[in-house]
Amino acid sequence: MPHFHVQGAGLGLRRSLLAEIANHPPLQAVGFYEVAPENWITLGGQYGKQFRSLTERFDFVCHGLSLSLGSSDPLDEKLVLDIKAFMAEHGIKLYSEHLSYCSHNGHLYDLMPIPFTEEAVRHVAARIKRVQELLKQRIAIENVSYYAAPGQEMAEIDFFNAVVQEADCDILLDINNIYVNSVNHGYDAEAFLRAVPGQRIAYAHIAGHYVEAEDFLVDTHGAAVIDPVWKLLGKAYELYGVFPTLLERDFNLPPLAELLREVETIKAIQDAWRREHAKRSA
């Protein structure tokens, strides 16, 4: 069985949920939480105390927003070292980032796609290696949603796999992004999933999206997860075994009870596939 830093079904921690979760009895369905370190590093006062009370009791992962791995700007090594200190302070064992960029002579406030080229593979892999060198640990890289592919020389899956291989890093597998991209760019989501190096999966994201048109989806993290995305998650477990999976919800936040129902759905799918794998192995 692969070693994972966290287990089970996770929930992205948003500041608006902090007090309710901190003052709530342990939420049985939630195996771990995820935070964007940039939003929490400088947190102090009552928020800081509440956050500390959670990191002392529960497993956390960090999911970066602004390292801009694909940018031609200099790598923000101070940010990496700040994240390293933050992770050490709170006992957080895993850091992930997007295979994208969000800066060019200043922040762009959006995650932009890296050109799918051999040159870009070498460029971004070198930057990932440097981050791993500074953190003294492997990081997980997320496959991102994108709406255009300027200068494309290779397929998305070939680019993604080449970066991961060259950088020798782990994967944060975003199930919803595979589905969204498959609709927007006309490829087979299951074929993409089958081509992923499953042994590198550290954990996964699952989320909702916005339907702009029948052939155009927008990755918003602002809606409930739909059935085809749940089914794709089940297919991933069928292919690679059960891995930790986290519910992302960034806005249009419903009551905590509603979020927990989706976390419980993740857990139910995980339990079903564990039973299935056990039956097949018997």
Side-chain angles (χ1 to χ4, degrees), residues 11 22 32 34 47-48 62 77-78 103 109 117-118 181 186-187 201 217 223 229 236 250 265 274 278:
L11 177 63
F32 66 103
E34 179 190 79
Y47 280 135
C62 277
E77 296 194 357
K78 181 183 182 304
S103 65
Y109 302 103
T117 67
E118 294 286 355
N181 290 346
Y187 65 68
I201 298 171
L217 309 180
V229 178
D250 291 335
T265 300
R274 283 195 188 96

Side-chain angles (χ1 to χ4, degrees), residues 5 47 58 64 76 80 89 99 104 106-107 109 144 147 180 200 207 212 246-247 254 258 263 280:
H5 290 297
Y47 280 135
F58 305 112
D76 189 344
V80 177
E89 179 184 356
L99 187 57
H104 181 67
H107 274 272
Y109 302 103
V144 298
Y147 306 98
V180 165
R200 290 185 180 268
E212 181 73 32
L246 180 129
L247 176 70
E258 191 173 323
V263 175
R280 292 178 183 182

Side-chain angles (χ1 to χ4, degrees), residues 2 7 12 39 63 95 190 209 256 261:
Q7 301 292 331
N39 295 337
H63 183 46
Y95 173 69
E190 188 176 319
H209 55 259
L256 180 59
R261 280 195 289 272

Side-chain angles (χ1 to χ4, degrees), residues 3-275:
H3 170 73
F4 297 112
H5 290 297
V6 290
Q7 301 292 331
L11 177 63
L13 181 62
R14 305 294 172 255
R15 200 168 300 184
S16 61
L17 300 172
L18 179 58
E20 187 175 3
I21 291 175
N23 296 320
H24 201 286
L27 305 175
Q28 297 301 323
V30 182
F32 66 103
Y33 294 92
E34 179 190 79
V35 291
E38 297 92 331
N39 295 337
W40 299 83
I41 283 172
T42 58
L43 201 67
Q46 185 62 27
Y47 280 135
K49 289 177 183 174
Q50 288 173 335
F51 182 61
R52 164 63 74 185
S53 77
L54 290 178
T55 60
E56 286 174 344
R57 291 186 289 155
F58 305 112
D59 289 334
F60 273 74
V61 293
C62 277
H63 183 46
L65 296 173
S66 59
L67 194 52
S68 201
L69 286 169
S71 176
S72 57
D73 294 346
L75 183 67
D76 189 344
E77 296 194 357
K78 181 183 182 304
L79 174 60
V80 177
L81 294 175
D82 286 345
I83 289 168
K84 181 180 182 180
F86 174 77
M87 291 174 67
E89 179 184 356
H90 291 282
I92 299 171
K93 298 182 178 67
L94 179 63
Y95 173 69
S96 63
E97 247 290 359
H98 304 82
L99 187 57
S100 62
Y101 70 98
C102 57
S103 65
H104 181 67
N105 300 319
H107 274 272
L108 302 172
Y109 302 103
D110 206 351
L111 296 171
M112 307 297 290
I114 302 169
F116 300 154
T117 67
E118 294 286 355
E119 182 182 7
V121 168
R122 292 189 294 272
H123 173 73
V124 72
R127 287 163 72 91
I128 293 169
K129 285 180 181 176
R130 178 57 179 157
V131 173
Q132 294 183 145
E133 184 180 296
L134 290 169
L135 291 178
K136 293 185 167 48
Q137 67 182 72
R138 286 159 69 114
I139 68 173
I141 296 302
E142 180 185 3
N143 55 297
V144 298
S145 57
Y146 64 99
Y147 306 98
Q152 181 170 358
E153 295 175 0
M154 54 206 303
E156 176 195 351
I157 186 60
D158 295 334
F159 175 75
F160 182 73
N161 286 350
V163 169
V164 166
Q165 177 71 29
E166 177 73 17
D168 191 20
C169 62
D170 291 330
I171 291 172
L172 165 50
L173 188 68
D174 193 300
I175 303 296
N176 183 62
N177 286 352
I178 296 174
Y179 180 79
V180 165
N181 290 346
S182 74
V183 171
N184 291 346
H185 302 289
Y187 65 68
D188 185 293
E190 188 176 319
F192 185 103
L193 195 57
R194 287 180 181 279
V196 167
Q199 74 280 5
R200 290 185 180 268
I201 298 171
Y203 72 114
H205 279 169
I206 194 164
H209 55 259
Y210 176 71
V211 180
E212 181 73 32
E214 188 177 315
D215 59 352
F216 183 43
L217 309 180
V218 182
D219 177 37
T220 59
H221 304 169
V225 180
I226 66 169
D227 281 349
V229 178
W230 287 124
K231 287 176 182 172
L232 196 60
L233 178 64
K235 175 56 69 172
Y237 293 158
E238 179 185 349
L239 291 171
Y240 303 120
V242 174
F243 41 77
T245 304
L246 180 129
L247 176 70
E248 279 192 299
R249 188 69 178 259
D250 291 335
F251 78 104
N252 282 343
L253 280 174
L256 180 59
E258 191 173 323
L259 290 175
L260 291 176
R261 280 195 289 272
E262 288 198 290
V263 175
E264 286 163 357
T265 300
I266 296 172
K267 194 167 182 296
I269 296 171
Q270 290 177 329
D271 289 344
W273 277 105
R274 283 195 188 96
R275 289 192 298 269

